[in-house]
Amino acid sequence: ITNILGDTILVAGQTRITEDLLAMYVIILLVGFFSGLLQFLLVRLLISRAGWWLLATLLGWLVVLALVLFFSWIDPLGFVPNSSLPVFILFLVIGGILGLAQRLVLKNHVRQSAWWILISSLAWGLTGLIIGSTISEAYDFWVLLILPGLVTGVGLWWLLVGQPNRKIPARS
């Protein structure tokens, strides 16, 4: 269970919980909430039934969390990223999973909605490339919290407003 929830160390003869206990879960919840909220604020202005966007985002994050737990369980030491490249790839995959889930909503409103998977992957991949293998400073946390929502927000705007290929008119 320590591979999932964190670990303990022995300090002066007493067992202490390390600072990363449940940190991954808190960070995933915060990042998922803020990126989904930033996207939803734009989506709700431009498409009908935007509430499905929140459900698709939640579904995507649940799949991401399940995969992280699964791979951590199978190979706890091999799954720990130790350089920027694996983090970049991990974040690229996270973005792809989220984009795929959200595309289920977007495909009813945009003909070329498959672009959303690429936009989401690149937004998250860029975030992973910038923060590297650890979130060790406040800067890293703020990049993780803001950049994916900002980049995907620009991508959503381009898909929903900047393209002449919309299927369904905006909300009535």
Side-chain angles (χ1 to χ4, degrees):
I1 192 146
T2 59
N3 292 332
I4 297 171
L5 298 179
D7 208 346
T8 59
I9 57 174
L10 194 62
V11 178
Q14 295 192 2
T15 302
R16 301 280 185 222
I17 298 172
T18 59
E19 73 276 356
D20 61 347
L21 180 71
L22 298 177
M24 179 183 72
Y25 302 104
V26 172
I27 289 172
I28 286 176
L29 286 174
L30 283 173
V31 170
F33 174 76
F34 281 109
S35 65
L37 179 65
L38 288 172
Q39 294 166 353
F40 175 73
L41 291 174
L42 178 61
V43 168
R44 72 183 178 95
L45 297 173
L46 300 169
I47 66 173
S48 59
R49 297 185 181 194
W52 287 105
W53 187 266
L54 293 174
L55 185 62
T57 303
L58 176 64
L59 174 68
W61 277 109
L62 290 175
V63 169
V64 166
L65 184 59
L67 287 173
V68 166
L69 290 174
F70 176 74
F71 285 115
S72 294
W73 178 69
I74 287 179
D75 187 11
L77 296 177
F79 186 69
V80 177
N82 57 7
S83 72
S84 293
L85 185 61
V87 172
F88 166 73
I89 293 170
L90 177 66
F91 274 61
L92 203 66
V93 170
I94 288 171
I97 291 168
L98 293 171
L100 187 61
Q102 293 168 331
R103 182 184 178 266
L104 297 173
V105 176
L106 206 55
K107 72 178 183 171
N108 295 324
H109 301 278
V110 178
R111 282 192 182 97
Q112 296 178 356
S113 61
W115 280 104
W116 177 247
I117 300 168
L118 179 64
I119 291 168
S120 181
S121 293
L122 292 177
W124 284 96
L126 177 64
T127 302
L129 198 58
I130 291 172
I131 65 171
S133 62
T134 62
I135 300 173
S136 57
E137 297 183 26
Y139 168 80
D140 296 327
F141 182 73
W142 286 109
V143 167
L144 181 62
L145 204 57
I146 294 171
L147 189 62
L150 184 64
V151 173
T152 55
V154 170
L156 269 173
W157 183 262
W158 175 73
L159 281 175
L160 294 172
V161 175
Q163 294 295 304
N165 59 359
R166 290 190 45 132
K167 287 183 180 177
I168 300 172
R171 292 179 59 173
S172 50

